[in-house]
Amino acid sequence: MSAFRFDHVGINVRDLDAAAGWYAAAFGLSREFEVTLDAFALSIVMLRSPDGYRIELLHRPGSEPGLRAADPPAAVLTEGYGHVALAVADLDAGYARLLELGAGPVMAPRPSPEPGVRMAFVRDPEGNLVELVERG
């Protein structure tokens, strides 16, 4: 048994309230807590899934857009984090739902290079890549 387990991913955003609303609606997350660190003018919203994974959204005034790759192959041309991946039971329905909620289409549902797995990519409303994974 590993001494480590995944806890959360942090995503820096331009519009904290809009991003929190979108991620909550898109993935069924609830606000776990909100805090502002005055010394850094940093605002944080922690969202939690019913399964326990968390997405931390962070905003600091004066931030500038970073990597906004058009698709996964372009994202891997820049070192560092390129996307976040979330599992979904019904890939086609999940992909369609995110598009209805304002996500941009990047890669429609298709077989993954990993045997027995299907995948799709969308862009959240701020341009961050989100992968959806359906394991058979």
Side-chain angles (χ1 to χ4, degrees):
M1 178 185 210
S2 173
F4 300 96
R5 69 174 179 80
F6 181 78
D7 186 80
H8 72 275
V9 62
I11 303 172
N12 302 330
V13 298
R14 174 180 51 255
D15 185 332
L16 188 60
D17 289 331
W22 188 82
Y23 275 90
F27 301 109
L29 307 176
S30 60
R31 289 183 186 225
E32 185 176 41
F33 70 88
E34 300 177 42
V35 65
T36 297
L37 304 177
D38 292 327
F40 303 104
L42 175 65
S43 297
I44 300 169
V45 172
M46 184 67 79
L47 302 171
R48 185 180 188 91
S49 78
D51 296 336
Y53 75 81
R54 301 182 311 159
I55 294 178
E56 180 183 33
L57 301 173
L58 305 104
H59 172 74
R60 187 170 182 203
S63 65
E64 297 179 12
L67 171 67
R68 294 292 192 267
D71 53 42
V76 297
L77 288 173
T78 302
E79 296 172 1
Y81 295 101
H83 69 275
V84 61
L86 298 170
V88 62
D90 183 338
L91 181 63
D92 298 296
Y95 179 80
R97 175 170 162 65
L98 294 185
L99 295 183
E100 289 172 7
L101 290 171
V106 175
M107 183 184 293
R110 66 186 64 199
S112 167
E114 185 178 353
V117 176
R118 294 180 68 227
M119 67 179 200
F121 276 84
V122 298
R123 188 175 301 107
D124 77 9
E126 289 204 10
N128 299 299
L129 287 174
V130 177
E131 181 180 7
L132 304 175
V133 178
E134 177 188 79
R135 299 189 179 278

